[in-house]
Amino acid sequence: MTLTRRGFLKLSATAALTTAFGGIGLAARPEKAKAAMDRIAQLKPEWSKQTTSICCYCAVGCGLLVNTALSGTKRAINIEGDPDHPINEGALCPKGASIYQLTEGTPGQVNPRLQKVMYRKPYGTKWEVKSWDWALDRIAGNIKRDRDATFALKNAKGQTVNRCEGLASVGSAAFDSEECWAYQAFLRSLGLTFIEHQARICHSASVAALAESFGRGAMTNHWIDIKNSDCILIMGSNAAETHPISFKWITRAQEKGATVIHVDPRFTRTSAKCDIYAPIRSGSDIAFLGGMINYILENDLIFKEYVLNYTNASFIVGDKYDFKDGMFSGFDEATGKYDKSKWAFALDEKGAPKRDNALADPRCVYQLMKKHYSRYTFKNVSAITGTPEDKLLTVYKAYTATGKPDKAGTELYAMGWTQHTVGVQNIRTMSIIQSLLGNMGVAGGGVNALRGEGNVQGSTDQALLYHIIPGYMPTPSTAQPKFDDYLKLIKPVSNDPKSLNWKKNYGKYAVSLLKSFYKNAEPAQAYDWMPKLDAGQNASWLVLFDEMFKGKFKGFFAWGMNPAVSGADSNKTRQALAKLDWMVNVNIFDNETGSFWHGPGMDPAKTKTEVFMLPCAVSTEKEGSITNSGRWMQWRYQGPKPLGDARPDGEIMYELAQKVRELYKKDGGAFPEPVLNMNWEDMGNGHEFDVHKTAKLINGYYLKDVEEKLPDGSVKVHKKGSQVQSFLFLKDDGSTACGNWIYSGSYVGPDPKDNRAAKRSKEQTPAQANVGLYPNWSWSWPVNRRIIYNRASVDQTGKPYAPQKALLAWNAAGKKWDIDVVDGGGAPGAIHPFIMQQHGMAALFGPGLNDGPFPEHYEPMNCPVSSHPFSKVLNNPAAVKFKGDKYDVCDPRFPFVCSTIRVAEHWQTGLMTRWQPWLLEAHPQMFCEMSEELAKLRGVKNGEKVILESGRGTNWAIAIVTKRLKPFIVQGNTVHQVCIPWHFGWRFPKDGGDAANLLTSAVGDANTSIPETKAFMVNVRKA
């Protein structure tokens, strides 16, 4: 896509001025810079091409303009914010504004990006440069050899599994979505079940919590919608630093009178912009929020009409459910698991949940909830959180004021809530609050997960995780040996006539997905080819590396990820990598994972792992779609071609897959059918990856002529090969192929103009503009709906609760809904609004989770207290733990709470930002932020080096002594907290420090196994 360059920047054909002008600033002295700008102004814009792209950092999804020279170096000359983009309006954060340097390096210096294939032989002590053909041939050979050697047709019980047990993969949210889909197809065709990526360790808790609460696991609203809020609670996030452009919309709301609240252990840049700040000890969020639930119920502040009609508050819970002293009914001490059947609803004679619309029955959800949270008094909450009671009251009053029909409150959260052993239940607690106040499905409302990578939403949607296949359907397991068994699992039944129960359509989506994998096979046959988990098997991140540590895997892909820094208990992760026979590391820069073999504590001469380090393109060098946190699927275009020998990820994986297939064609091997029959022809031409073909496959198309009967009685024929227009047209008879049903409708014709992700029109109706929907800019799943559950924004007659910011309006004459795309269709009052839920209601009581239907406060596994005021059960009894691991509970050796944090200038493990001088100069080293009181206690001065110690390892940091942290009074005792960034690693820069995760514990949430890296215990001493 080539655009006309705005007049103020004119570019040269030779790009000779690259060293004078680039990215966010001028490299030359001011007088030279002015001269350079004068020369640029005289040049013609047609000598460069301009492409649009999307920022590769956090998932706000900011637009970029990339200018690339058409001759000479043919490299990027300037990258800046896109002023036409409705989210960022041209603004960029420090990271986004440095993408020029990420792409091109520092003017006048050697670009540190990987530009050659690097190879480390077993027990080797240095890197060797290799060709792509040599490396891919050898990797393909390794894959085939070890797949054949470790392929299991049956498990130990004799059940059919058809899986490869010797290979594993992590990666990647750095892919475009089309690459994600192709990669998971490749892995599943090989038979892998250990498939993980960034979402497991950042927002897997969000997916489980939001899906249990409302039916879908995504951010419920979108970035621009924040401006419609009357009260914004930022808790579990430091949004001003982690998602800086989001604050554009927080500020817009504030300017219109919204109250902004920040609850956090530190007084941060976010706190400084808020109206109310309340401190909280890390790991006590459920207590804080449980207190708000109690405040709402005790003071009858619920939006009653909403609660009665749109939540399961009135449902009667069966008599097997109970809760006593911190434990729900059905717990098995031997297995550490609950029998969730004990939490089932009581059913009437028709099989629908019994209800008490008076909310008076002691077994109804409302009354059980009221009893459950009655313990969460101001006194108890303050005692365990360290938040003063007056601050609690201030926050509760301000936020619960949104529980009125014409008001809306939103919650913004990130890792501060997810990375806990109760991560899912942290989010569930807020989901209950939002449901009680009527803040779901409305403009300015929602529970909004601020995702931290440009395409972590899209990569999750495309199922780069062990437990799901594309479209959030469960991975097949031995509990479903045949396809008919699987169909019974995925198609729930509801006998409530107003429940749309949309998952009843999953059969169509599953058949169409299988046809997208293996279009020439019958669905039952294709299902047999799919690898199967053992029933109840956990193959998540922590388990994967624990199994690697035990020597289970021969080969491993670390693609677009840096697990030697990002994973909890980094020492264990690095030792696990040394147990591999070989590893493929695909990335932009050299990193701690690819170079683990010569890192701290490693002896290369004793480390057997063969390592392939493959250079990949940066985001501005390739084309494809990414989906931001608000579900906007946006298209980015190639600017410069990949630097040096780097290649787009899609090209690498596609060619590798073809080489593996050729080996199986030539030599045969273990269970070759899925490898040989995978539908690669719809992802490329047999030699090169085609992003548009893959996007069309994900959307779905007809495999044969299909007749559709229209409402007027006429018949329309959909021709074989034509694109389906939405998931409404998918079939269960094998006549449609669709790679991901929630993306059906995104690419609806044969031409690039039919690619709805590429839409760039700001056209909207006055009603749409009033709330900022921008329905013609990009495309949003599902079916371009901008705010999910929006049917809950109107009453049973279709009247908007908040007409001043209406999302839906019922057009009685046309018998249709206007403004946003309605969730579920049908006339007002015809169906319940939460259509992905079995019974159509938001779940105050969530019986599908592993650690309880109501959130309950439990301490982090490593904690500063031996008891708490709510029960005698200290830690989450269902948390994921590993045999032999020890935890720091009231251990005098480790007296201080520690939490990992982020800064605006760095991103994730720092792999992409530490190599950029523009960013590194702002935060050049590992640091430990501590209070003045703790510094005095430990005799530490600002700027001095300190040593941090935990039960897992040690690390050094530079002390930042600040007023932003204060000691907490917890149950009468002083508790200190410190914070450390997780952006550093030993590889670069020299003396920059090492991973924060050297200190964290490999313990996980009960539902998702997300590691608990936001609350652990350390000692801090002067170095």
Side-chain angles (χ1 to χ4, degrees):
M1 178 179 178
T2 302
L3 303 175
T4 301
R5 186 67 171 102
R6 287 181 297 141
F8 77 90
L9 180 61
K10 310 264 180 89
L11 301 163
S12 76
T14 62
L17 298 176
T18 301
T19 57
F21 181 78
I24 62 170
L26 297 168
R29 291 192 300 271
E31 63 273 14
K32 290 186 177 181
K34 182 180 184 304
M37 288 296 291
D38 289 342
R39 291 195 298 274
I40 289 171
Q42 299 170 12
L43 300 173
K44 296 181 179 180
E46 61 266 24
W47 288 348
S48 74
K49 74 170 180 177
Q50 184 180 93
T51 52
T52 56
S53 189
I54 305 297
C55 181
C56 59
Y57 288 109
C58 82
V60 173
C62 296
L64 303 174
L65 296 179
V66 181
N67 269 88
T68 305
L70 290 174
S71 61
T73 64
K74 296 187 178 180
R75 297 301 304 166
I77 298 170
N78 185 63
I79 301 174
E80 63 185 87
D82 181 356
D84 294 326
H85 198 285
I87 294 177
N88 63 308
E89 301 175 323
L92 293 174
C93 76
K95 295 184 291 292
S98 297
I99 287 178
Y100 171 83
Q101 193 170 65
L102 176 68
T103 305
E104 302 298 341
T106 302
Q109 298 180 15
V110 175
N111 194 325
R113 278 179 53 191
L114 286 170
Q115 298 182 47
K116 297 289 184 182
V117 173
M118 308 299 289
Y119 173 71
R120 186 260 178 177
K121 64 184 178 183
Y123 306 104
T125 58
K126 62 181 181 180
W127 288 110
E128 303 173 31
V129 176
K130 296 291 185 180
S131 70
W132 273 105
D133 283 342
W134 183 92
L136 293 179
D137 283 342
R138 188 167 180 87
I139 295 168
N142 285 357
I143 290 171
K144 185 181 185 303
R145 179 195 68 211
D146 293 334
R147 178 183 183 272
D148 289 351
T150 65
F151 201 87
L153 298 174
K154 306 278 186 180
N155 64 8
K157 295 181 179 179
Q159 298 167 312
T160 298
V161 292
N162 294 337
R163 68 189 181 214
C164 171
E165 299 186 334
L167 304 178
S169 172
V170 297
S172 169
F175 294 161
D176 293 339
S177 289
E178 294 72 28
E179 294 170 330
C180 292
W181 198 93
Y183 188 53
Q184 63 83 30
F186 174 50
L187 297 178
R188 290 185 163 102
S189 74
L190 296 175
L192 269 68
T193 53
F194 282 90
I195 300 171
E196 286 286 273
H197 89 297
Q198 178 64 36
R200 178 65 59 196
I201 58 175
C202 67
H203 268 290
S204 58
S206 294
V207 177
L210 296 174
E212 178 71 12
S213 299
F214 309 117
R216 302 182 182 97
M219 183 173 176
T220 59
N221 295 46
H222 60 91
W223 297 103
I224 295 171
D225 181 65
I226 296 170
K227 75 182 180 71
N228 297 313
S229 296
D230 296 292
C231 189
I232 300 166
L233 173 60
I234 306 171
M235 184 174 177
S237 166
N238 176 13
E241 295 202 66
T242 59
H243 301 82
I245 302 303
S246 73
F247 244 84
K248 175 188 289 287
W249 302 105
I250 295 169
T251 302
R252 298 275 173 91
Q254 211 168 19
E255 289 169 348
K256 293 192 296 181
T259 301
V260 181
I261 305 167
H262 192 216
V263 180
D264 197 88
R266 292 187 304 154
F267 188 91
T268 68
R269 291 178 179 177
T270 298
S271 313
K273 300 293 290 184
C274 291
D275 302 294
I276 301 169
Y277 166 72
I280 183 175
R281 174 177 63 92
S282 186
S284 60
D285 301 82
I286 289 176
F288 189 106
L289 296 172
M292 192 186 299
I293 293 174
N294 187 41
Y295 180 80
I296 292 168
L297 299 177
E298 286 296 309
N299 293 281
D300 195 23
L301 298 175
I302 68 170
F303 181 177
K304 189 167 184 179
E305 179 184 329
Y306 186 105
V307 168
L308 189 61
N309 292 324
Y310 298 156
T311 79
N312 65 9
S314 64
F315 287 19
I316 306 299
V317 179
D319 57 12
K320 293 182 180 180
Y321 168 78
D322 197 7
F323 177 80
K324 291 181 180 178
D325 196 22
M327 297 295 293
F328 297 94
S329 52
F331 188 72
D332 185 332
E333 292 282 354
T335 63
K337 295 181 179 180
Y338 281 104
D339 175 2
K340 291 180 281 187
S341 69
K342 305 291 186 184
W343 311 334
F345 296 117
L347 304 179
D348 63 20
E349 64 280 1
K350 295 180 181 178
K354 291 182 178 179
R355 300 181 64 172
D356 172 27
N357 288 334
L359 303 181
D361 190 304
R363 298 295 298 178
C364 81
V365 167
Y366 183 82
Q367 291 297 334
L368 290 173
M369 178 174 56
K370 193 169 185 179
K371 179 181 179 182
H372 187 92
Y373 290 105
S374 63
R375 297 166 293 137
Y376 288 70
T377 61
F378 280 102
K379 180 180 178 181
N380 285 343
V381 171
S382 179
I384 201 65
T385 62
T387 309
E389 288 190 41
D390 62 332
K391 283 287 187 180
L392 290 173
L393 180 60
T394 299
V395 173
Y396 293 174
K397 276 187 173 181
Y399 197 76
T400 58
T402 64
K404 298 178 175 61
D406 62 342
K407 297 293 183 181
T410 190
E411 205 292 329
L412 311 180
Y413 75 93
M415 306 296 93
W417 272 4
T418 63
Q419 292 175 335
H420 293 274
T421 45
V422 291
V424 169
Q425 297 289 11
N426 280 336
I427 304 157
R428 275 277 298 137
T429 320
M430 192 67 210
S431 298
I432 291 172
I433 290 170
Q434 291 294 72
S435 299
L436 291 173
L437 298 176
N439 282 328
M440 295 307 302
V442 304
V447 181
N448 289 301
L450 310 190
R451 287 181 167 256
E453 294 209 26
N455 198 35
V456 72
Q457 182 65 60
S459 52
T460 304
D461 298 339
Q462 307 305 339
L464 281 171
L465 292 162
Y466 89 91
H467 70 290
I468 53 173
I469 56 178
Y472 295 97
M473 292 179 286
T475 299
S477 81
T478 54
Q480 305 92 38
K482 297 298 182 184
F483 189 44
D484 285 346
D485 303 315
Y486 184 75
L487 291 176
K488 292 176 184 176
L489 168 73
I490 63 174
K491 295 166 64 175
V493 174
S494 176
N495 293 309
D496 184 334
K498 292 180 69 173
S499 174
L500 199 53
N501 184 26
W502 196 266
K503 289 182 181 178
K504 67 189 176 187
N505 296 299
Y506 270 17
K508 301 173 186 178
Y509 310 150
V511 170
S512 296
L513 175 62
L514 290 171
K515 296 298 286 187
S516 73
F517 286 152
Y518 303 109
K519 67 179 179 180
N520 296 320
E522 291 300 315
Q525 176 65 76
Y527 181 81
D528 287 341
W529 289 343
M530 293 284 286
K532 311 293 189 299
L533 294 162
D534 289 339
Q537 181 183 357
N538 184 345
S540 66
W541 181 285
L542 290 177
V543 176
L544 185 158
F545 282 101
D546 188 62
E547 292 292 315
M548 186 187 295
F549 183 76
K550 296 174 183 175
K552 177 182 177 69
F553 303 118
K554 294 183 177 294
F556 175 59
F557 293 94
W559 205 315
M561 293 200 69
N562 191 17
V565 173
S566 63
D569 196 352
S570 291
N571 279 319
K572 180 178 180 180
T573 301
R574 296 171 187 183
Q575 292 168 30
L577 295 174
K579 306 289 180 70
L580 296 165
D581 288 347
W582 56 270
M583 174 175 66
V584 176
N585 178 238
V586 187
N587 226 304
I588 298 169
F589 296 102
D590 189 358
N591 56 80
E592 289 76 14
T593 298
S595 287
F596 84 93
W597 48 276
H598 63 99
M602 289 291 173
D603 183 350
K606 295 180 180 179
T607 305
K608 68 175 181 176
T609 312
E610 180 182 27
V611 183
F612 304 85
M613 189 179 288
L614 308 182
C616 61
V618 298
S619 60
T620 54
E621 296 172 339
K622 62 182 182 178
E623 183 176 5
S625 73
I626 63 171
T627 302
N628 77 355
S629 199
R631 296 168 290 103
W632 286 23
M633 179 191 184
Q634 303 186 92
W635 199 261
R636 51 189 181 191
Y637 295 87
Q638 186 182 61
K641 291 183 178 180
L643 184 68
D645 286 345
R647 294 183 178 183
D649 299 281
E651 182 179 326
I652 300 169
M653 66 184 67
Y654 190 85
E655 185 173 349
L656 179 59
Q658 305 318 304
K659 288 182 178 292
V660 173
R661 292 181 83 199
E662 288 301 318
L663 291 176
Y664 275 93
K665 286 179 183 177
K666 177 184 174 185
D667 301 325
F671 203 64
E673 291 85 358
V675 176
L676 296 176
N677 288 286
M678 175 54 68
N679 179 23
W680 287 104
E681 65 185 89
D682 282 337
M683 291 180 269
N685 62 9
H687 303 284
E688 295 179 344
F689 182 66
D690 188 324
V691 66
H692 287 276
K693 288 183 73 172
T694 307
K696 292 174 187 176
L697 177 61
I698 292 170
N699 175 88
Y701 69 96
Y702 293 95
L703 291 166
K704 59 184 179 182
D705 291 354
V706 173
E707 293 185 351
E708 177 197 358
K709 190 172 182 180
L710 301 178
D712 63 3
S714 63
V715 174
K716 180 178 180 180
V717 177
H718 300 284
K719 303 299 287 185
K720 177 182 178 180
S722 63
Q723 295 292 102
V724 299
Q725 299 300 296
S726 81
F727 52 70
L728 295 173
F729 296 90
L730 297 177
K731 308 291 183 183
D732 60 6
D733 60 3
S735 61
T736 55
C738 174
N740 192 328
W741 73 273
I742 64 173
Y743 279 78
S744 190
S746 61
Y747 208 127
V748 294
D751 300 318
K753 64 180 176 60
D754 300 309
N755 178 6
R756 290 174 171 169
K759 293 191 302 179
R760 285 177 58 85
S761 171
K762 290 185 176 180
E763 182 182 359
Q764 44 184 343
T765 67
Q768 291 167 340
N770 182 51
V771 290
L773 292 184
Y774 292 97
N776 295 301
W777 187 280
S778 74
W779 184 85
S780 179
W781 70 260
V783 294
N784 206 33
R785 184 175 299 121
R786 298 292 158 139
I787 295 179
I788 47 181
Y789 321 119
N790 55 27
R791 198 184 191 91
S793 69
V794 299
D795 66 16
Q796 297 287 287
T797 68
K799 180 182 177 182
Y801 284 125
Q804 77 278 13
K805 46 187 173 185
L807 276 181
L808 294 177
W810 176 247
N811 184 327
K815 294 186 177 179
K816 66 184 184 70
W817 293 95
D818 295 329
I819 310 178
D820 199 7
V821 179
V822 68
D823 213 337
I831 59 173
H832 300 314
F834 294 89
I835 67 170
M836 299 302 294
Q837 295 284 61
Q838 182 179 5
H839 302 299
M841 299 292 197
L844 302 173
F845 185 91
L849 296 178
N850 293 338
D851 49 356
F854 288 130
E856 171 69 2
H857 172 77
Y858 300 112
E859 284 292 316
M861 199 59 63
N862 301 278
C863 62
V865 299
S866 58
S867 65
H868 63 79
F870 305 110
S871 76
K872 295 179 181 178
V873 182
L874 184 64
N875 309 116
N876 189 340
V880 174
K881 297 174 284 187
F882 295 91
K883 189 176 181 180
D885 285 0
K886 296 180 180 179
Y887 307 106
D888 309 325
V889 176
C890 276
D891 189 327
R893 296 175 301 165
F894 312 114
F896 310 129
V897 177
C898 187
S899 183
T900 57
I901 60 170
R902 305 183 186 211
V903 298
E905 294 81 7
H906 283 297
W907 179 77
Q908 308 298 53
T909 68
L911 186 150
M912 287 163 55
T913 54
R914 283 186 269 134
W915 295 88
Q916 298 181 54
W918 290 342
L919 297 173
L920 186 62
E921 67 180 353
H923 282 287
Q925 288 179 305
M926 183 70 175
F927 65 84
C928 174
E929 188 165 354
M930 65 179 70
S931 68
E932 293 173 330
E933 292 84 353
L934 178 57
K936 183 177 180 180
L937 182 68
R938 281 294 192 250
V940 174
K941 294 181 180 179
N942 191 53
E944 291 185 330
K945 182 180 283 190
V946 296
I947 303 297
L948 292 98
E949 304 163 312
S950 78
R952 274 71 56 198
T954 63
N955 205 350
W956 68 264
I958 299 299
I960 294 182
V961 180
T962 174
K963 297 180 185 294
R964 304 198 313 173
L965 276 167
K966 294 290 184 183
F968 295 98
I969 302 301
V970 177
Q971 298 184 134
N973 298 313
T974 299
V975 173
H976 294 279
Q977 178 157 349
V978 298
C979 297
I980 55 176
W982 77 293
H983 306 301
F984 292 94
W986 65 268
R987 180 63 189 84
F988 187 85
K990 183 180 180 181
D991 299 325
D994 207 343
N997 277 315
L998 291 168
L999 305 170
T1000 59
S1001 180
V1003 60
D1005 170 83
N1007 301 280
T1008 67
S1009 303
I1010 190 170
E1012 186 165 62
T1013 56
K1014 284 295 179 181
F1016 52 98
M1017 303 303 295
V1018 299
N1019 184 39
V1020 179
R1021 58 180 173 83
K1022 188 174 179 178

